[in-house]
Amino acid sequence: MTVIEVADLRKAYAGRPAVDGVSFSVEEGEIFGILGPNGAGKTTTVECVEGLRVPDSGRVRVAGLDPVADHDKVTRILGAQLQESELQAKLTVREALELYSAFYDRPADWRALAERLGLTEKLGTRYAKLSGGQKQRLSIALALIGSPRIVVLDELTTGLDPRARRDTWQLIEEIRTSGVTVLLVTHFMEEAQRLCDRIAVIDRGRVAALDTPSGLIRRASGSTVISFTPSRPLAPADLAGLPDAASTATDARDGRVTVHGSDVTVNAVITLLARHHITAHQLRVSDATLDDAFLDLTETAGPQGAPAAAGPESATDLNGASA
């Protein structure tokens, strides 16, 4: 069942489009990712979903509700962690969790959330004394404290160290297993590739591509990566003639060659090396990553038109526990 529907969404600031005809749908129980360069319109899009911004035109529905006209009802089923948010400086972590818990009829156990997010030892700490990563973890806890049916997470793990990031990924996977739908905005390709069932790549205010992570990688040019250090240098003309090669590069420091292509390219590289009696040291053949696909989609296959204008800063209030 579709729980989020966005159709031909448009939003402009000072006459310049930030979101220019974005459309996608999110199914119940799905982790749906939104990727895009800075200023692409990602945060404006999700703030329209949360009801924090009023679209200029288009249709947005959350579980069949209009996020603006039915805002009170939407806040009961949708939790949000905003890209930027602040709490009162003197509020302790315990007080914030207890306060937000009191907003809901059937809140989650805030103590369990604090433990899961590594905040138990910080319960008596005032908000102003928290590190950036600790503030981020508290923001995530407040987004989940209302036991939402849908949760929007904007830059989920920004400011977290690698261990905390992976612990948070596991938490999100557990949340999805419990039936919660997740709309995830992120800059971390590894995060999107691990967590998301489908991803919309937004570039210059429009959807440049929408597919599964593996589907996006397959659609990118050079979906297979061949890298090796030749026993002696190869002529640039030899590398330029490789079939299906999307790009070739030679590291000036150690002479290592990297080729983006296909299975046909792999065979051609092996044939080329054999013909010139060259040994390939540390030969690696691997699939392209989501990073490769993202760069390809936003640099070469993105929609045409003027770049989206940067909108006002992300809406902030006490926090994004309920949008």
Side-chain angles (χ1 to χ4, degrees), residues 139-156:
S139 179
I140 295 167
L142 296 179
L144 299 172
I145 205 164
S147 300
R149 178 180 170 190
I150 303 159
V151 63
V152 180
L153 303 170
D154 195 348
E155 302 300 342
L156 168 70

PDB file of all heavy atoms in Angstrom, residues 139-156:
ATOM      1  N   SER A 139      18.143  13.767  18.494  1.00  0.00           N
ATOM      2  CA  SER A 139      17.166  14.119  17.467  1.00  0.00           C
ATOM      3  C   SER A 139      16.500  12.869  16.887  1.00  0.00           C
ATOM      4  O   SER A 139      15.283  12.841  16.661  1.00  0.00           O
ATOM      5  CB  SER A 139      17.851  14.921  16.356  1.00  0.00           C
ATOM      6  OG  SER A 139      16.944  15.259  15.339  1.00  0.00           O
ATOM      7  N   ILE A 140      17.289  11.831  16.658  1.00  0.00           N
ATOM      8  CA  ILE A 140      16.744  10.576  16.139  1.00  0.00           C
ATOM      9  C   ILE A 140      15.794   9.956  17.161  1.00  0.00           C
ATOM     10  O   ILE A 140      14.702   9.477  16.822  1.00  0.00           O
ATOM     11  CB  ILE A 140      17.882   9.606  15.782  1.00  0.00           C
ATOM     12  CG1 ILE A 140      18.716  10.163  14.622  1.00  0.00           C
ATOM     13  CG2 ILE A 140      17.325   8.231  15.414  1.00  0.00           C
ATOM     14  CD1 ILE A 140      20.024   9.432  14.417  1.00  0.00           C
ATOM     15  N   ALA A 141      16.193   9.963  18.427  1.00  0.00           N
ATOM     16  CA  ALA A 141      15.337   9.406  19.483  1.00  0.00           C
ATOM     17  C   ALA A 141      14.006  10.138  19.551  1.00  0.00           C
ATOM     18  O   ALA A 141      12.934   9.516  19.688  1.00  0.00           O
ATOM     19  CB  ALA A 141      16.055   9.489  20.831  1.00  0.00           C
ATOM     20  N   LEU A 142      14.029  11.462  19.434  1.00  0.00           N
ATOM     21  CA  LEU A 142      12.792  12.240  19.496  1.00  0.00           C
ATOM     22  C   LEU A 142      11.900  11.985  18.287  1.00  0.00           C
ATOM     23  O   LEU A 142      10.675  12.065  18.376  1.00  0.00           O
ATOM     24  CB  LEU A 142      13.121  13.729  19.606  1.00  0.00           C
ATOM     25  CG  LEU A 142      13.873  14.148  20.882  1.00  0.00           C
ATOM     26  CD1 LEU A 142      14.166  15.638  20.863  1.00  0.00           C
ATOM     27  CD2 LEU A 142      13.096  13.769  22.132  1.00  0.00           C
ATOM     28  N   ALA A 143      12.513  11.668  17.151  1.00  0.00           N
ATOM     29  CA  ALA A 143      11.725  11.344  15.956  1.00  0.00           C
ATOM     30  C   ALA A 143      10.990  10.020  16.116  1.00  0.00           C
ATOM     31  O   ALA A 143       9.945   9.804  15.512  1.00  0.00           O
ATOM     32  CB  ALA A 143      12.634  11.298  14.728  1.00  0.00           C
ATOM     33  N   LEU A 144      11.545   9.132  16.926  1.00  0.00           N
ATOM     34  CA  LEU A 144      10.986   7.789  17.070  1.00  0.00           C
ATOM     35  C   LEU A 144      10.119   7.620  18.319  1.00  0.00           C
ATOM     36  O   LEU A 144       9.443   6.599  18.463  1.00  0.00           O
ATOM     37  CB  LEU A 144      12.129   6.766  17.121  1.00  0.00           C
ATOM     38  CG  LEU A 144      13.021   6.694  15.888  1.00  0.00           C
ATOM     39  CD1 LEU A 144      14.217   5.779  16.152  1.00  0.00           C
ATOM     40  CD2 LEU A 144      12.239   6.216  14.684  1.00  0.00           C
ATOM     41  N   ILE A 145      10.102   8.614  19.184  1.00  0.00           N
ATOM     42  CA  ILE A 145       9.496   8.429  20.490  1.00  0.00           C
ATOM     43  C   ILE A 145       7.970   8.306  20.433  1.00  0.00           C
ATOM     44  O   ILE A 145       7.347   7.752  21.325  1.00  0.00           O
ATOM     45  CB  ILE A 145       9.924   9.571  21.437  1.00  0.00           C
ATOM     46  CG1 ILE A 145       9.839   9.102  22.883  1.00  0.00           C
ATOM     47  CG2 ILE A 145       9.093  10.823  21.198  1.00  0.00           C
ATOM     48  CD1 ILE A 145      10.589   9.995  23.847  1.00  0.00           C
ATOM     49  N   GLY A 146       7.373   8.808  19.362  1.00  0.00           N
ATOM     50  CA  GLY A 146       5.920   8.714  19.245  1.00  0.00           C
ATOM     51  C   GLY A 146       5.434   7.424  18.623  1.00  0.00           C
ATOM     52  O   GLY A 146       4.248   7.313  18.291  1.00  0.00           O
ATOM     53  N   SER A 147       6.312   6.433  18.469  1.00  0.00           N
ATOM     54  CA  SER A 147       5.975   5.171  17.794  1.00  0.00           C
ATOM     55  C   SER A 147       5.300   5.441  16.450  1.00  0.00           C
ATOM     56  O   SER A 147       4.190   4.979  16.186  1.00  0.00           O
ATOM     57  CB  SER A 147       5.066   4.303  18.674  1.00  0.00           C
ATOM     58  OG  SER A 147       5.695   3.983  19.888  1.00  0.00           O
ATOM     59  N   PRO A 148       5.961   6.221  15.571  1.00  0.00           N
ATOM     60  CA  PRO A 148       5.302   6.641  14.328  1.00  0.00           C
ATOM     61  C   PRO A 148       5.130   5.489  13.351  1.00  0.00           C
ATOM     62  O   PRO A 148       5.887   4.520  13.359  1.00  0.00           O
ATOM     63  CB  PRO A 148       6.283   7.678  13.768  1.00  0.00           C
ATOM     64  CG  PRO A 148       7.616   7.252  14.291  1.00  0.00           C
ATOM     65  CD  PRO A 148       7.347   6.726  15.660  1.00  0.00           C
ATOM     66  N   ARG A 149       4.136   5.644  12.494  1.00  0.00           N
ATOM     67  CA  ARG A 149       3.923   4.701  11.398  1.00  0.00           C
ATOM     68  C   ARG A 149       4.904   4.992  10.255  1.00  0.00           C
ATOM     69  O   ARG A 149       5.308   4.093   9.517  1.00  0.00           O
ATOM     70  CB  ARG A 149       2.483   4.844  10.908  1.00  0.00           C
ATOM     71  CG  ARG A 149       2.094   3.969   9.739  1.00  0.00           C
ATOM     72  CD  ARG A 149       0.647   4.207   9.366  1.00  0.00           C
ATOM     73  NE  ARG A 149       0.304   3.571   8.101  1.00  0.00           N
ATOM     74  CZ  ARG A 149      -0.842   3.770   7.449  1.00  0.00           C
ATOM     75  NH1 ARG A 149      -1.752   4.584   7.972  1.00  0.00           N
ATOM     76  NH2 ARG A 149      -1.069   3.171   6.294  1.00  0.00           N
ATOM     77  N   ILE A 150       5.277   6.268  10.134  1.00  0.00           N
ATOM     78  CA  ILE A 150       6.209   6.735   9.102  1.00  0.00           C
ATOM     79  C   ILE A 150       7.223   7.630   9.786  1.00  0.00           C
ATOM     80  O   ILE A 150       6.864   8.442  10.649  1.00  0.00           O
ATOM     81  CB  ILE A 150       5.469   7.542   8.014  1.00  0.00           C
ATOM     82  CG1 ILE A 150       4.350   6.723   7.388  1.00  0.00           C
ATOM     83  CG2 ILE A 150       6.437   8.030   6.942  1.00  0.00           C
ATOM     84  CD1 ILE A 150       3.293   7.575   6.706  1.00  0.00           C
ATOM     85  N   VAL A 151       8.495   7.517   9.401  1.00  0.00           N
ATOM     86  CA  VAL A 151       9.512   8.406   9.960  1.00  0.00           C
ATOM     87  C   VAL A 151      10.358   8.968   8.823  1.00  0.00           C
ATOM     88  O   VAL A 151      10.741   8.253   7.897  1.00  0.00           O
ATOM     89  CB  VAL A 151      10.392   7.693  11.008  1.00  0.00           C
ATOM     90  CG1 VAL A 151      11.184   6.551  10.393  1.00  0.00           C
ATOM     91  CG2 VAL A 151      11.327   8.673  11.701  1.00  0.00           C
ATOM     92  N   VAL A 152      10.576  10.283   8.884  1.00  0.00           N
ATOM     93  CA  VAL A 152      11.405  10.979   7.902  1.00  0.00           C
ATOM     94  C   VAL A 152      12.718  11.355   8.579  1.00  0.00           C
ATOM     95  O   VAL A 152      12.718  12.024   9.616  1.00  0.00           O
ATOM     96  CB  VAL A 152      10.705  12.246   7.366  1.00  0.00           C
ATOM     97  CG1 VAL A 152      11.593  12.948   6.340  1.00  0.00           C
ATOM     98  CG2 VAL A 152       9.357  11.895   6.747  1.00  0.00           C
ATOM     99  N   LEU A 153      13.819  10.903   7.994  1.00  0.00           N
ATOM    100  CA  LEU A 153      15.141  11.130   8.577  1.00  0.00           C
ATOM    101  C   LEU A 153      15.993  11.895   7.565  1.00  0.00           C
ATOM    102  O   LEU A 153      16.327  11.369   6.514  1.00  0.00           O
ATOM    103  CB  LEU A 153      15.795   9.788   8.935  1.00  0.00           C
ATOM    104  CG  LEU A 153      14.985   8.903   9.887  1.00  0.00           C
ATOM    105  CD1 LEU A 153      15.606   7.513   9.970  1.00  0.00           C
ATOM    106  CD2 LEU A 153      14.886   9.537  11.271  1.00  0.00           C
ATOM    107  N   ASP A 154      16.329  13.146   7.885  1.00  0.00           N
ATOM    108  CA  ASP A 154      17.069  14.009   6.981  1.00  0.00           C
ATOM    109  C   ASP A 154      18.510  14.104   7.467  1.00  0.00           C
ATOM    110  O   ASP A 154      18.783  14.710   8.506  1.00  0.00           O
ATOM    111  CB  ASP A 154      16.422  15.393   6.931  1.00  0.00           C
ATOM    112  CG  ASP A 154      16.913  16.231   5.761  1.00  0.00           C
ATOM    113  OD1 ASP A 154      17.903  15.840   5.121  1.00  0.00           O
ATOM    114  OD2 ASP A 154      16.294  17.283   5.493  1.00  0.00           O
ATOM    115  N   GLU A 155      19.439  13.518   6.710  1.00  0.00           N
ATOM    116  CA  GLU A 155      20.849  13.448   7.087  1.00  0.00           C
ATOM    117  C   GLU A 155      20.985  12.731   8.433  1.00  0.00           C
ATOM    118  O   GLU A 155      21.516  13.267   9.406  1.00  0.00           O
ATOM    119  CB  GLU A 155      21.488  14.834   7.128  1.00  0.00           C
ATOM    120  CG  GLU A 155      21.410  15.587   5.821  1.00  0.00           C
ATOM    121  CD  GLU A 155      22.099  14.868   4.666  1.00  0.00           C
ATOM    122  OE1 GLU A 155      22.917  13.978   4.909  1.00  0.00           O
ATOM    123  OE2 GLU A 155      21.795  15.196   3.506  1.00  0.00           O
ATOM    124  N   LEU A 156      20.539  11.504   8.442  1.00  0.00           N
ATOM    125  CA  LEU A 156      20.416  10.663   9.633  1.00  0.00           C
ATOM    126  C   LEU A 156      21.693  10.581  10.459  1.00  0.00           C
ATOM    127  O   LEU A 156      21.662  10.724  11.685  1.00  0.00           O
ATOM    128  CB  LEU A 156      19.992   9.256   9.187  1.00  0.00           C
ATOM    129  CG  LEU A 156      20.060   8.128  10.198  1.00  0.00           C
ATOM    130  CD1 LEU A 156      18.990   8.311  11.245  1.00  0.00           C
ATOM    131  CD2 LEU A 156      19.876   6.775   9.502  1.00  0.00           C
TER     132      LEU A 156
END
